[in-house]
Amino acid sequence: MTTLQPTLKPFKWNLDPKPTTIFQPTLKPFKWNLNPKPATILKIKNQLSPIHPPDAFPTHVNKNFIETITGLYKKQLRPEYEVLDLMCSRVSHLPKEDYKKSVEHGLHARELGKYPRLDFENATFDAVLCTASVQYLQEPEKFFAEVLRLLRPNGVFIVSFNTGMLYEKATDAWKNETESGKKRLVVNYFKCVEGFTEPEIVPKPAGKYWSNVQSSMLKSKADPFCAVIAKKKLI
């Protein structure tokens, strides 16, 4: 009779392992960079600096936007019009046409000049313009009501804008809206004041008047153009 012999050897702990079997950490200790390169310092400084110096006259529309809105004004306005260009900053985007009268009302305190207030008579203007500034209106209902007062019957109010803004100065209502939401917001500004016709949104050009450059600009996601237009109802 054959006796079964075990094939496994008794287990023994290795009380003296070789150095290669001991766990070796793969990560080096973290060290702060106490002497960063000048490029790194400049990058951080630029991120913390204001967008514009306090005494600057900033702008957030590009050349194509300006050409497009100037073209729209040329199409909508007539030489016999008396025009009020509101919040136009230091640069008015009116075309180089001879209007019966044009008043450029500033946005910056240093730009207001001789028109610090809108103390004009009722029904003074045939057209009122507001370019790339509607996003800063703290009381838009009062603003649109005042524009209605200044317009003559059938006078036109053109509000144009893009998605650009000075973030720290724009209203929360504007900052929190999408591109399409901003259009609806401006339309609602018109509708909250009785006396305007149904607002018309102009998201893209139409007709032979517009150039290919302007058309391609309107399709750009970088600086999309939009205008909302309405007229004062005839009494």
Side-chain angles (χ1 to χ4, degrees):
M1 181 176 180
T2 305
T3 305
L4 183 62
Q5 299 294 326
T7 57
L8 297 177
K9 297 180 179 180
F11 177 78
K12 294 183 179 180
W13 289 98
N14 185 0
L15 302 179
D16 188 25
K18 296 180 180 180
T20 54
T21 62
I22 301 176
F23 174 75
Q24 300 292 332
T26 57
L27 297 177
K28 297 181 179 180
F30 178 78
K31 294 182 180 181
W32 288 99
N33 185 2
L34 301 179
N35 188 25
K37 296 180 180 180
T40 304
I41 299 175
L42 179 61
K43 183 178 180 181
I44 296 174
K45 183 178 180 181
N46 289 341
Q47 291 175 350
L48 299 178
S49 299
I51 298 175
H52 300 283
D55 57 346
F57 293 96
T59 181
H60 46 73
V61 296
N62 62 22
K63 180 181 179 181
N64 288 333
F65 181 99
I66 294 173
E67 290 177 354
T68 304
I69 188 58
T70 301
L72 180 63
Y73 289 159
K74 189 173 183 180
K75 185 178 180 180
Q76 291 283 335
L77 307 181
R78 299 176 183 175
E80 65 269 21
Y81 276 9
E82 295 187 47
V83 181
L84 173 61
D85 193 356
L86 285 174
M87 304 170 72
C88 64
S89 187
R90 70 191 187 284
V91 179
S92 173
H93 304 309
L94 282 168
K96 295 180 180 180
E97 305 286 344
D98 290 328
Y99 297 104
K100 183 178 179 180
K101 179 181 179 181
S102 63
V103 177
E104 298 172 4
H105 194 276
L107 176 63
H108 195 284
R110 288 162 50 194
E111 301 167 337
L112 292 176
K114 62 179 180 179
Y115 300 111
R117 298 177 60 187
L118 297 179
D119 51 354
F120 303 104
E121 297 292 333
N122 293 349
T124 300
F125 298 98
D126 302 289
V128 177
L129 318 174
C130 180
T131 306
S133 297
V134 66
Q135 58 267 42
Y136 308 122
L137 295 177
Q138 299 295 324
E139 297 179 301
E141 295 87 355
K142 292 183 179 180
F143 179 85
F144 276 65
E146 182 68 1
V147 170
L148 186 69
R149 181 187 72 82
L150 296 175
L151 280 173
R152 296 185 176 118
N154 206 40
V156 63
F157 184 25
I158 304 175
V159 180
S160 60
F161 53 91
N162 60 0
T163 55
M165 71 186 89
L166 300 179
Y167 194 83
E168 69 277 9
K169 295 185 180 296
T171 62
D172 291 337
W174 188 268
K175 290 185 286 191
N176 295 332
E177 283 291 357
T178 62
E179 181 179 338
S180 59
K182 289 176 172 61
K183 298 176 185 178
R184 291 192 297 268
L185 192 63
V186 176
V187 169
N188 288 334
Y189 290 163
F190 275 100
K191 290 185 175 181
C192 73
V193 179
E194 294 185 6
F196 283 111
T197 60
E198 183 67 21
E200 174 192 0
I201 298 177
V202 184
K204 58 183 179 180
K208 297 181 180 180
Y209 175 80
W210 302 91
S211 68
N212 293 332
V213 175
Q214 293 165 337
S215 299
S216 62
M217 174 262 163
L218 295 180
K219 298 177 182 178
S220 170
K221 295 182 179 179
D223 196 9
F225 171 87
C226 183
V228 181
I229 306 172
K231 293 185 176 182
K232 183 175 181 177
K233 292 180 179 179
L234 295 171
I235 300 175

